[in-house]
Amino acid sequence: MTDSTSKPAIISKQYLIPFMMVAALFPLWGFANDITNPLVKAFKDIFLITNAQSSMVQFAFYLGYGIMAIPAAIFIRKYSYKAGILLGLALYAIGAVLFLPASMYAEFNFFLLALCVLTCGLALLETTANPYVLSMGAPETSTQRLNFAQAFNPIGSLTGMMVASNYILSELKVEEFRAAEKAAHPEYADLLPSVADGKITEALSQFAVNEPIAHQAMQAADLATVRGPYIAIASVVAILFLFFLFSKLPDTISHDKPLTTGVLKDTFKRLLANARYREGVIAQAFYVGAQIMCWTFVIHYGMTSVGLSAAEAQQYNMVAMGLLLASRFICTFLLGFVRPGQLLMFLATGGILLSLGVIFIGGLTGLYCLVAISACMSLMFPTIYGIALKDTGDDASLASAGLVMAIVGGALMPPMQGSMIDAGSILGNIPAVQTSFVLPLICFVVIAIYGYRAHNIHKA
């Protein structure tokens, strides 16, 4: 006799294989995200542009989510989750392949276009995979199921970071130039890291003016290095496309109600009237903004506040991702004992305290604080996602699109932080790269408020 009070399985047998297939997609956006983050610093040196301009890499990358999220949800609702996966994989591969002509023409804006196309594919995949996983079993275990699937995301992130560190940053000719400048000027060791970094950047600019042919050759070699991993991932994604094309997946979307204009209008009205969902979209936008700023500018922080090379600073990003991965499994276990909103509030409070350390302590200790923030961010995305989507029923696919569209926060906030770094410090003698982390601090305050309201007001 079955115990009627027993908790439903997180993944039932009938969905085990489909769940494993869809969970295998989660590393794809982790890889794309974390191989792209170092390009902000790399493109700044390769194209000799400002921090604000190089941050347009993140703007283009996350703009795809804002463009594609709602159309993706409509497409999935009209057809199927499988169709959404296939179209997402196709756009992902096309965007990655576009790195080839972009590198050949040495055109920064072409790279931005390629990244935007790639992330239109990612938006389709995320808009599909997250609600699909939620639908694969009992509603009571949906948040745990999504957290489990999301735990595979950092595997892709770590792979992306390793590739970026070992096959991009460490192979760049511009990094060899910077190392040679340091060796030629031992007096730089006695300067503040931010001052020494500025002098090396100035020398690079002079090299481009005085020896344009040599600089163009160096630029061409570096762009060829950058494109390699993207061509490789395009091949992997193409194979996955063929695998899903010839596989059978359960259709868990109800097609009883055709997606007419009236249905769309009613759905959006219900979602906008749902305070837990509405505030969740806002919290998600601030979370993604904080995540991308912390992972993008760790290289700037390591180089200007500690004096590391780009490849050395990227190693700390890998440690951060390892902490996030470990913390995600720990926090998923804790969800069996702590309510999601309460856990979110505690994690955000930790993010606030560590951000203060990044800003005011600086140096190697500040870098440790920046790395430790990833442990606090571990469960924020899926937890906000699960809280906001709770009890949305048939509206889940469109509700999911709103939460995926909130990822556009990663497009808006990094350029703001880049502009803060270019403008100089806002807190006396504290380096600008440190004071710029006031933006992630504000993001964690917003997330803490949502966690409090979810736990005490919305009762999620």
Side-chain angles (χ1 to χ4, degrees), residues 61-72:
F61 188 90
Y62 291 96
L63 182 63
Y65 287 97
I67 293 172
M68 188 55 71
I70 297 297

Side-chain angles (χ1 to χ4, degrees), residues 134-153:
L134 289 173
S135 71
M136 289 182 179
E140 296 89 337
T141 57
S142 60
T143 299
Q144 284 179 284
R145 189 160 50 252
L146 181 59
N147 280 322
F148 183 48
Q150 286 276 355
F152 292 93
N153 178 272

Side-chain angles (χ1 to χ4, degrees), residues 2 39 54 60 102-103 157 185 204 227 236 245 262 307 319 340 349 360 422 438:
T2 303
L39 293 185
S54 64
S103 63
S157 295
H185 297 277
L204 180 60
R227 80 184 178 213
V236 173
L245 181 63
V319 173
T349 301
F360 293 106
D422 289 333
V438 71

Side-chain angles (χ1 to χ4, degrees), residues 63-81:
L63 182 63
Y65 287 97
I67 293 172
M68 188 55 71
I70 297 297
I74 295 172
F75 177 84
I76 294 161
R77 181 80 176 267
K78 184 175 181 179
Y79 296 101
S80 66
Y81 284 125

